[in-house]
Amino acid sequence: MMDHESSKSGFERKKRAVQFFEGEKWLVLTGLLGVLLAVLSAAWVLLYGGAVPPNGNVTNAISFDAALGIFLISTAAIVPFSAMGAKGRVFFRWSYILLALYSYFAETVQNFRGVNPRFVKGDSTFDLTVGSIFAFVALLLILSYLFLAIHYFRRKAYMLRPNLVIGIRYAMIAIICSFAAGIWISVNQGRIVGLHGNIIWLHGLGFHAIQAVPIVAWLSERSLLTTKSQSRLIHLTGTAYLLGLIGIGWQTYLGHSIIEWSLLPLFVSGCFLFSLGMGALVLHKTAIGLTFRK
């Protein structure tokens, strides 16, 4: 009985001790490096323009480095709630850092050299090698992230911060959709589908779920809502976000723009507006809760 109580109290101490970004300094710094590279690339574009003959475009490096950097920082924030063991976290952290560093190199250096690192044209051995490795690295980034994502669907993670982890679960599903969209771009040899479909919307908005849904979950924990109401609100937010992504994916598959005036884009807009509304609601409830506590 004493051993059980000791184990339980130890888990409760761990539950209270877990903090955002805990132990992930190097992952954060790697993310900040991407943001810095994006800023430097943007300065270059302002001074000299983005196009670099024959096939490079520095503006691509700006968007890629910034997106990957922000994604790494956001991931670093939630890794402590995965309940991974120390060895698992070390494996994920350093594998992702090394893969990200190569991705920064390939995207930034090659575009400055006038080479599209994803779709290499020409017979340069160096460029072909960098492009081939880049494709393999992209696959490893997906597999490594799936290794992390699985942990959030285990009871051990759920017990640390139930409602926050529910939000993270929805984010993980959305991110998997983004990875699938990235594979779609590669197979399609570009982001355009049909006349007006653009896969990049699905690819980008899926990744932003890592900020959107967990933030709603985190705010709900600080509101005066009951635990059941918090959970319901998080489920509604996450479900609406995922339905919006599914709508974007289907509209893109049909080869249509997501900003045209038709039923599916309106449905997608409604889903994301609903998610935004849930965020505004929980922010309002949190503000009331803070005022009440004072």
Side-chain angles (χ1 to χ4, degrees):
M1 182 68 177
M2 289 294 292
D3 290 341
H4 174 73
E5 291 298 327
S6 177
S7 175
K8 184 177 179 180
S9 62
F11 179 80
E12 290 298 323
R13 286 194 298 270
K14 183 178 180 181
K15 179 178 177 180
R16 287 193 297 271
V18 175
Q19 301 291 330
F20 287 98
F21 299 104
E22 184 179 302
E24 297 303 332
K25 177 182 73 173
W26 291 107
L27 201 56
V28 172
L29 290 175
T30 305
L32 290 174
L33 173 62
V35 175
L36 175 61
L37 289 172
V39 170
L40 294 175
S41 297
W44 175 276
V45 170
L46 288 174
L47 292 172
Y48 305 108
V52 181
N55 300 305
N57 194 328
V58 180
T59 57
N60 291 337
I62 296 173
S63 58
F64 179 87
D65 291 341
L68 181 55
I70 293 170
F71 182 65
L72 288 176
I73 294 170
S74 302
T75 298
I78 64 171
V79 166
F81 303 102
S82 66
M84 273 197 292
K87 290 182 179 179
R89 284 185 64 172
V90 168
F91 168 77
F92 172 78
R93 179 187 308 127
W94 289 106
S95 63
Y96 232 75
I97 286 173
L98 293 174
L99 293 170
L101 290 176
Y102 182 86
S103 299
Y104 290 151
F105 158 76
E107 187 71 33
T108 308
V109 173
Q110 290 298 82
N111 273 297
F112 268 99
R113 294 182 64 247
V115 178
N116 184 331
R118 293 181 183 80
F119 310 111
V120 180
K121 297 179 180 179
D123 56 1
S124 167
T125 302
F126 176 79
D127 294 336
L128 289 171
T129 301
V130 171
S132 298
I133 295 174
F134 195 22
F136 183 62
V137 164
L139 178 60
L140 291 179
L141 283 168
I142 295 173
L143 293 176
S144 295
Y145 214 87
L146 288 175
F147 170 75
L148 170 67
I150 288 169
H151 287 79
Y152 292 107
F153 292 88
R154 294 177 174 175
R155 180 173 174 80
K156 190 176 179 181
Y158 178 80
M159 293 301 293
L160 283 177
R161 293 275 287 274
N163 283 334
L164 178 62
V165 170
I166 288 173
I168 294 173
R169 287 175 177 177
Y170 279 103
M172 292 297 112
I173 296 171
I175 288 167
I176 291 170
C177 292
S178 285
F179 284 137
I183 295 172
W184 186 7
I185 290 173
S186 297
V187 172
N188 191 60
Q189 291 290 295
R191 62 181 64 178
I192 302 301
V193 177
L195 292 177
H196 303 293
N198 193 334
I199 308 171
I200 203 66
W201 287 104
L202 177 61
H203 188 55
L205 285 172
F207 284 126
H208 282 301
I210 196 174
Q211 294 100 28
V213 188
I215 285 176
V216 171
W218 176 72
L219 285 172
S220 73
E221 291 180 334
R222 282 149 182 76
S223 69
L224 293 178
L225 295 169
T226 64
T227 302
K228 186 176 181 180
S229 295
Q230 292 173 24
S231 178
R232 184 183 300 115
L233 188 147
I234 296 164
H235 280 297
L236 287 171
T237 303
T239 300
Y241 203 101
L242 292 180
L243 287 174
L245 291 179
I246 292 170
I248 289 175
W250 186 249
Q251 180 77 350
T252 303
Y253 175 76
L254 295 175
H256 301 312
S257 170
I258 66 165
I259 58 173
E260 69 179 22
W261 286 100
S262 61
L263 184 60
L264 198 51
L266 289 174
F267 170 76
V268 169
S269 298
C271 288
F272 286 115
L273 285 173
F274 182 84
S275 291
L276 186 62
M278 291 294 98
L281 174 63
V282 75
L283 181 61
H284 175 66
K285 295 292 185 181
T286 303
I288 292 175
L290 292 174
T291 302
F292 180 79
R293 291 185 185 102
K294 288 180 181 180

